[in-house]
Amino acid sequence: MQDLESAVAVVGMSGRFPGAPDLESYWANLRDGVCSISALSEKELLADGADPAELRNPAYVPAQGRLEDADRFEADLFGFSRTEAAALDPQHRVLLETAWSALEDAGRAPLTAPPAAAAAGPSRTGVYVGGSPTEHALAAGTDPALAASIGALQVRILTDREFLAPWISYRLGLDGPSMTVQTACSTSLTAVHLAVQALLLGECDTALAGGVAIGSVRRQGYVHYQGGIFSPDGRCRPFDEKAAGTVPGSGVGVLVLRRLVDALADGDPVRAVIRGTAVTNDGAGKVGFTAPGVDQQTAAIAEAWAAAGLEPSAAQYLEAHGTGTELGDRIELEAASAAFAGGDGIGLGSVKSNIGHADAAAGAAALIKTILMLEHATLAPTVDVTSPLAALDRSPLRLVTEAEEWPSRDGLPRLAGVTSVGIGGTNVHVVVQEAPGRRARAGSATRPVVLPLSARTEPQLALLADRLATRLRAADAPALRDVAHTLRTGRVGMPVRAYVVAGEAREAADRLTALAEGRRDTRTDPLGEAWLRGEEVTWPALDGEAGRVRLPTYPFAGERYGAMTLRKAAAQRTEAPEAPSPAPRNELEDQVAALVVEALDLTGAADLAQSYFEAGGDSLTAVHLAGRLRDELGIEVPIQLFLEPVTLRDMTTQICELKRNGAADSALDALLSEFEAES
């Protein structure tokens, strides 16, 4: 491989996309040509708050590239209380977990600074990510009770996408540059470009790069407008004569990057190599602000391949932006055909046909798809295409519509380009190369090794053991010493612990299966027993040279925290103009007391003799409790009531009096009415 000094290794990846909670299922869907865009039923839409009148609109399209379980979050793992987690935007939650998994995929422990590369000085890990606008953030910004209780700044910190990168740096203890990137649809590929540049300039030694897009956790369709960007039938057909628009999608993807020379020296699990990147903007050279331009898309491709020291004609595949819009596809095809003019039969595709347009995460989805294709030496098809654009007949590009082998060639590795284009004109292109063959290391395990495992709960530990057993039974199972090294240095020690002792992979798999099934291993080890007791263990050197390998990552098991929504608040305003009749005094006090006990996690009514703060209450819990009192009992409670130095029992009585006196705060309704009138 030439010019290693300017190459960057992808050493870890993690992502969640429509129909795919992990990258294994993502690849299976891509390989098999699965369209993961959901067709939503009227029942599902109504259950998630859709307006019945909107559903009757003939132009309403009940389709969505939906990310399942987007409102789940393992808050305790990241140091958030339940009430903080409820206020935190779902994009932040999902991105934090994905960043954690990406680091583990790289064989590096989150919360632990990676060792510095040889002669590279102190190690720093940078974060370069971006996100999309969200319904949760909009609803939080128009909730006066939330602002009154925790302040407008705190609302921004917990919900605004500009804090996506800082939250990752703070919660994972990463002290390199931390930047939230926003270039519309090209956000996450721009983040990769910036991360690559930072690594090459020495601003950091490891970098996380990617993006997230979860506009809403609700099931929702969209209204198709003639001439708009959205498809009339809920399908995205890139580079097809019948292409009529894209479909809104969600997703999240994070890549871990290091300088290639450092990754190879440290024995990192290199998944692919980024040879060059470039960013341009169309400026005024296009018909309108939202329209793409030909010349600067061509320039981005040419500049990226020049940075790689390669001719564009060396490419075998182009993962295009490919929105499936008539104007966008034709301009992109014209630009790419000019850039790759010296090539022939270069494959072309777009992941948007599979998952829809993931907005700020679209570039990460495309880059991860390309890396997976390189790893499997297989070109995945662009789906739902029946009539490729006629212009392809005069182009060096050909649309890939069926899965096919990605052939190797003499003298050159497999090479691909990935393009992302943002509204506003920011064009990004990345040149990706297959990973170099991992050099064989002398020696093998000559004695049994301890494989330590840990999780936050027993079920998660069992699931982790089962997944690791499956990995060790695979035909390409890693060397056991590498597995032991990765588990010892690349995972965070958690409270629930176990270990197995084995001398080879098959034995380890069998013992891990027994562990997953609840059968205790009779084979023990003194250091393993110290690990079980929660002690800091200094593991002995392993036989032979050990490196990091990809192993199953932490199985998150968070509960649902939901998301704030504008529709629910609007429905409460329009559909419930009259407050329900007050419950009898004793019944209402019992209901309020029960909510207070549950919100503060008290043992029972006896704990109501203490004050709110003595019971462990905080401002976010107050917001949560006020919301439940409003939603479930129709009582508008001023946040200041929770701050008064009275017992919880007296506070409960005061809340009941508010109900009986009909007191209400109409500020929320007024703000929401204004917001919806403007939107």
Side-chain angles (χ1 to χ4, degrees):
M1 183 181 300
Q2 61 181 8
D3 197 17
L4 296 184
E5 291 298 326
S6 63
V8 168
V10 179
V11 297
M13 306 190 303
S14 182
R16 306 179 195 177
F17 302 101
D22 51 50
L23 295 189
E24 288 74 20
S25 50
Y26 184 50
W27 169 245
N29 289 343
L30 294 171
R31 178 197 62 211
D32 297 340
V34 175
C35 176
S36 298
I37 297 172
S38 299
L40 305 171
S41 70
E42 182 176 353
K43 181 179 180 181
E44 289 175 322
L45 292 165
L46 290 173
D48 275 13
D51 183 351
E54 187 177 43
L55 300 187
R56 292 192 293 269
N57 184 341
Y60 186 83
V61 182
Q64 181 186 33
R66 175 174 169 75
L67 193 64
E68 292 291 339
D69 295 330
D71 62 343
R72 290 190 181 276
F73 182 49
E74 192 154 344
D76 290 347
L77 183 62
F78 295 93
F80 289 97
S81 70
R82 289 174 55 86
T83 48
E84 288 173 327
L88 191 67
D89 193 292
Q91 279 196 158
H92 290 73
R93 306 171 197 162
V94 170
L95 189 61
L96 277 165
E97 291 187 345
T98 305
W100 179 292
S101 295
L103 283 168
E104 286 196 334
D105 186 66
R108 297 184 176 274
L111 310 177
T112 305
S123 176
R124 298 206 301 168
T125 299
V127 180
Y128 303 81
V129 295
S132 298
T134 72
E135 183 183 29
H136 179 98
L138 291 173
T142 54
D143 187 334
L146 191 60
S149 63
I150 63 175
L153 177 60
Q154 189 69 358
V155 172
R156 278 190 61 203
I157 289 171
L158 289 169
T159 63
D160 198 306
R161 53 182 169 164
E162 85 177 275
F163 295 102
L164 286 166
W167 271 122
I168 294 173
S169 298
Y170 178 62
R171 291 301 186 184
L172 299 187
L174 310 178
D175 58 4
S178 187
M179 300 184 185
T180 300
V181 181
Q182 296 301 153
T183 60
C185 320
S186 58
T187 288
S188 52
L189 210 61
T190 301
V192 170
H193 166 78
L194 293 175
V196 167
Q197 296 302 308
L199 287 165
L200 297 180
L201 290 171
E203 295 177 349
C204 55
D205 303 302
T206 302
L208 274 64
V212 60
I214 305 175
S216 174
V217 302
R218 296 185 296 110
R219 292 175 177 85
Q220 60 180 9
Y222 59 90
V223 177
H224 166 71
Y225 295 99
Q226 190 65 34
I229 66 169
F230 292 129
S231 165
D233 64 356
R235 287 293 179 267
C236 181
R237 298 177 173 85
F239 306 105
D240 191 298
E241 292 287 355
K242 299 187 299 298
T246 192
V247 179
S250 294
V252 57
V254 175
L255 301 98
V256 182
L257 310 177
R258 301 194 73 213
R259 290 179 290 271
L260 180 60
V261 288
D262 295 342
L264 294 176
D266 289 351
D268 289 334
V270 177
R271 303 194 67 160
V273 177
I274 295 177
R275 292 292 304 271
T277 68
V279 174
T280 64
N281 189 276
D282 296 324
K286 51 186 179 178
V287 298
F289 181 77
T290 61
V294 174
D295 293 345
Q296 290 305 311
Q297 283 194 41
T298 302
I301 297 171
E303 290 173 19
W305 286 84
L310 297 163
E311 292 296 327
S313 58
Q316 293 170 289
Y317 179 82
L318 169 65
E319 176 65 18
H321 189 62
T323 56
T325 58
E326 182 179 8
L327 177 64
D329 284 0
R330 291 182 185 277
I331 287 178
E332 185 172 11
L333 180 56
E334 182 180 349
S337 296
F340 292 103
D344 181 48
I346 298 171
L348 173 69
S350 171
V351 74
K352 291 178 182 62
S353 68
N354 304 89
I355 64 172
H357 191 349
D359 197 53
L367 179 56
I368 289 172
K369 170 193 172 181
T370 305
I371 292 171
L372 292 170
M373 290 194 300
L374 285 167
E375 288 184 329
H376 292 88
T378 301
L379 296 177
T382 296
V383 301
D384 287 325
V385 172
T386 57
S387 305
L389 288 173
L392 283 164
D393 295 337
R394 305 180 298 277
S395 169
L397 303 162
R398 61 179 183 84
L399 194 59
V400 179
T401 57
E402 294 183 358
E404 58 185 75
E405 179 185 356
W406 189 332
S408 60
R409 50 188 174 173
D410 294 333
L412 277 176
R414 293 180 178 88
L415 288 163
V418 182
T419 290
S420 199
V421 178
I423 286 178
T426 299
N427 312 295
V428 193
H429 190 78
V430 174
V431 179
V432 194
Q433 175 178 301
E434 66 181 322
R438 192 163 185 173
R439 63 186 178 87
R441 292 187 303 276
S444 59
T446 57
R447 55 182 176 179
V449 295
V450 176
L451 305 181
L453 302 175
S454 71
R456 291 189 59 254
T457 66
E458 292 286 355
Q460 287 170 291
L461 184 67
L463 182 57
L464 187 61
D466 182 64
R467 290 177 178 176
L468 183 56
T470 299
R471 179 73 186 95
L472 292 179
R473 290 192 178 97
D476 62 344
L480 201 59
R481 65 168 179 270
D482 292 341
V483 174
H485 175 69
T486 303
L487 292 175
R488 295 173 182 184
T489 64
R491 296 296 185 266
V492 174
M494 298 186 192
V496 180
R497 299 186 174 195
Y499 72 94
V500 299
V501 183
E504 52 89 23
R506 176 63 64 173
E507 179 190 7
D510 291 342
R511 292 182 180 277
L512 287 164
T513 296
L515 175 63
E517 295 173 351
R519 290 181 277 132
R520 181 176 176 80
D521 195 344
T522 57
R523 190 171 188 175
T524 62
D525 179 272
L527 288 178
E529 294 300 307
W531 167 258
L532 287 183
R533 293 191 296 269
E535 298 176 12
E536 288 292 328
V537 177
T538 301
W539 300 102
L542 294 158
D543 292 335
E545 184 182 357
R548 299 178 185 86
V549 289
R550 294 198 306 276
L551 299 176
T553 58
Y554 186 72
F556 296 105
E559 60 185 280
R560 294 189 184 279
Y561 286 93
M564 297 184 70
T565 172
L566 292 167
R567 282 184 179 266
K568 182 176 181 181
Q572 288 172 342
R573 183 180 67 249
T574 59
E575 296 175 12
E578 297 182 4
S581 299
R585 182 179 184 86
N586 291 341
E587 180 183 342
L588 181 60
E589 288 189 356
D590 289 345
Q591 291 172 334
V592 173
L595 285 179
V596 171
V597 167
E598 182 179 348
L600 294 172
D601 197 23
L602 305 178
T603 57
D607 290 338
L608 297 179
Q610 54 191 325
S611 73
Y612 177 75
F613 287 109
E614 288 173 341
D618 55 27
S619 59
L620 287 175
T621 305
V623 174
H624 170 73
L625 184 53
R628 292 195 63 185
L629 288 165
R630 180 188 62 230
D631 296 344
E632 298 177 27
L633 299 179
I635 310 174
E636 289 287 351
V637 181
I639 297 299
Q640 290 77 7
L641 180 59
F642 297 99
L643 311 181
E644 295 180 3
V646 298
T647 67
L648 292 173
R649 185 170 289 107
D650 289 341
M651 184 184 76
T652 298
T653 300
Q654 293 180 45
I655 291 172
C656 293
E657 289 303 319
L658 287 174
K659 175 74 168 181
R660 296 187 183 95
N661 294 336
D665 181 3
S666 61
L668 174 61
D669 285 348
L671 274 176
L672 286 178
S673 296
E674 180 182 348
F675 175 82
E676 294 201 344
E678 294 176 353
S679 62

